[in-house]
Amino acid sequence: MTLQHQMEDAQVEVTFKKDKTPAPTAAPNATPQTGDNGMLSMWRRMLATATATLAGIGIYRRKKNRED
């Protein structure tokens, strides 16, 4: 497809060509690699520790309020 536009001072012509070979695509279910392959167990342990700490604080406060 060719597009032409002519003005008083200049003439512009743009040509678009369709490439017959499609661009290579990744597999449809491929997950991109980020380079971060570890430390998942550390995050799970930290989550478990934080959850246990918050539960402990809640239990302590509930017992303390019942005693008062």
Side-chain angles (χ1 to χ4, degrees), residues 24-41:
T25 58
N29 294 331
T31 304
Q33 295 296 319
T34 61
D36 186 9
N37 295 328
M39 308 301 281
L40 185 58
S41 63

Side-chain angles (χ1 to χ4, degrees), residues 4-47:
Q4 293 181 347
H5 183 69
Q6 191 170 13
M7 298 171 58
E8 294 177 14
D9 300 6
Q11 179 178 355
V12 177
E13 183 175 326
V14 179
T15 304
F16 299 97
K17 294 182 181 179
K18 183 178 178 182
D19 189 12
K20 294 185 181 189
T21 57
T25 58
N29 294 331
T31 304
Q33 295 296 319
T34 61
D36 186 9
N37 295 328
M39 308 301 281
L40 185 58
S41 63
M42 178 198 67
W43 291 110
R44 287 181 179 164
R45 278 184 264 139
M46 286 177 60
L47 177 63

Side-chain angles (χ1 to χ4, degrees), residues 42-64:
M42 178 198 67
W43 291 110
R44 287 181 179 164
R45 278 184 264 139
M46 286 177 60
L47 177 63
T49 303
T51 304
T53 302
L54 290 175
I57 291 171
I59 292 169
Y60 174 76
R61 285 185 179 175
R62 193 177 313 160
K63 284 185 177 184
K64 186 177 178 184

